[in-house]
Amino acid sequence: MGMVSHARDELDDSRIVAASLEDPEAFGELFRRHSPRLHAYIKRRLGLVLADDLVSETFTTAFRQRARFDGRAEFSAWLWGIASNLIAKHHRQETRMYRAFARTGVDPAEDGVADLASDRASAAALGPRLAKALASLSAQERSAVLLLAWGEMSYAEIAATLDLPLGTVKTKIHRARIKLRKTLPEEKIDG
């Protein structure tokens, strides 16, 4: 077993997808590699309950459609594109969640354990205003800026994930930043 898992670690994602066509269990390695980061991102966007569901739905969809994956894009961009489409279906719920957070100051996505006290204090001060600002963004602006900030993706990765031209992504992020700066105190955004 040690040999097999070691060999899988050396395979790139595209080869694992190809191998999973013959050996469906091989796809589990892709879940192991990509689900933690994807789950953390979706949880910040939509809360824990929906994160669990959407990560499962993302991987189920990717598994069912794996024969369509052609390797032209990175597997992670293809996977996050599926997740982004599923998140977009919850745009109204996400907007309601941010508006409720803005009103109450209670973050519905907070798990209460992961953050350090200092992070929590600064997040608590900024949270409701940030939530209100995020609620004001269009779905694509919100996705682009949050993939950058919370998904820690490059502009090129965001373009591949959202299936948009690079220039469009840069424009959407620029517009989102302008809207966020109008709503949030300057010192909080830059520092």
Side-chain angles (χ1 to χ4, degrees), residues 45-186:
R45 297 263 328 244
L46 298 173
L48 182 60
V49 173
L50 274 177
D52 292 344
D53 291 347
L54 288 186
V55 168
S56 294
E57 193 174 343
T58 297
F59 277 94
T60 299
T61 300
F63 180 78
R64 280 197 318 263
Q65 296 180 0
R66 71 193 187 282
R68 293 188 201 163
F69 177 71
D70 59 14
R72 284 185 295 168
E74 291 286 323
F75 173 77
S76 60
W78 185 71
L79 183 72
W80 282 64
I82 293 169
S84 292
N85 288 337
L86 294 171
I87 290 168
K89 292 179 181 178
H90 295 277
H91 176 71
R92 282 194 190 103
Q93 175 157 353
E94 182 182 27
T95 301
R96 281 194 302 269
M97 187 178 87
Y98 286 137
R99 286 183 179 144
F101 183 19
R103 277 193 315 275
T104 66
V106 177
D107 184 353
E110 175 62 58
D111 66 3
V113 176
D115 296 309
L116 299 171
S118 62
D119 290 343
R120 184 177 310 236
S122 61
L126 185 58
R129 288 189 302 245
L130 177 59
K132 184 176 182 182
L134 289 171
S136 74
L137 300 177
S138 75
Q140 279 193 336
E141 287 169 343
R142 187 185 304 159
S143 288
V145 80
L146 293 180
L147 284 169
L148 180 71
W150 294 348
E152 299 177 0
M153 290 187 177
S154 69
Y155 286 99
E157 289 170 321
I158 295 166
T161 297
L162 298 179
D163 196 23
L164 293 171
L166 183 59
T168 302
V169 168
K170 288 179 178 179
T171 299
K172 290 192 178 300
I173 290 173
H174 178 72
R175 286 182 186 149
R177 284 180 165 155
I178 289 171
K179 289 178 183 179
L180 292 173
R181 279 195 183 101
K182 286 181 183 173
T183 309
L184 300 170
E186 195 67 38

